[in-house]
Amino acid sequence: MRKEYPILVFALLIAAAIVVSPGSASILTIGSKTFAAAGETADIDLYLDSVPAGLSGYMFNLSMGDTAVAKFTGVTPPGLAEATWEMHGLVAPNDAFIKIWDSQRTFEPGATNVFLGSVRVAATGPGTTAITLTKVQIDGDGGEMIIPSIV
């Protein structure tokens, strides 16, 4: 008999206090996923809706709320030019990070629907948990900070 698991929904929370600057109208969105059973996996994508001033780089940490419900199993950065410096990885099943410097100016001013990367998540048990985004830093081509709304 197949055991059913309650809906597992990932919510994006901002856990770092950030000073909001005027004119930062970008929206950072992280996907959500429902799993039917433990052991299932899926990629959860992160997007920035627009970068009016371009995008020179970004970094953030991701934390899983409850590893008894789900855990990170991998991180995929955006597919950028070879010369673009990037770091990404898992620190533990409940911690991951993405750090990108766009040396090739792939993300030009006015770019929309910018893929920032994804985290692979595996369901480990029943329940609901959240992914928390911390230490968020997103910089435009001119060095100005982009402070997105988080959805």
Side-chain angles (χ1 to χ4, degrees), residues 11-149:
L12 178 64
L13 304 173
I14 187 96
I18 299 175
V19 177
V20 177
S21 63
S24 71
S26 297
I27 299 171
L28 193 153
T29 305
I30 186 169
S32 64
K33 179 65 182 165
T34 301
F35 295 99
E40 289 185 1
T41 63
D43 290 329
I44 308 294
D45 296 334
L46 294 104
Y47 283 92
L48 200 55
D49 74 328
S50 65
V51 287
L55 185 62
S56 66
Y58 56 92
M59 63 183 191
F60 48 81
N61 294 347
L62 300 112
S63 296
M64 182 64 67
D66 185 355
T67 56
V69 175
K71 66 180 180 178
F72 295 127
T73 60
V75 179
T76 304
L80 300 175
E82 185 177 307
T84 299
W85 177 76
E86 59 186 49
M87 290 177 34
H88 59 281
L90 295 175
V91 178
N94 63 327
D95 289 309
F97 69 94
I98 297 176
K99 186 175 190 178
I100 304 290
W101 174 46
D102 185 18
S103 63
Q104 298 298 307
R105 295 207 182 240
T106 305
F107 304 115
E108 290 295 325
T112 59
N113 202 28
V114 176
F115 176 62
L116 301 178
S118 64
V119 287
R120 178 150 289 243
V121 174
T124 55
T128 301
T129 190
I131 295 175
T132 305
L133 195 63
T134 61
K135 298 184 182 176
V136 178
Q137 181 178 337
I138 304 174
D139 298 312
D141 283 337
E144 67 284 347
M145 285 185 65
I146 298 171
I147 310 297
S149 300

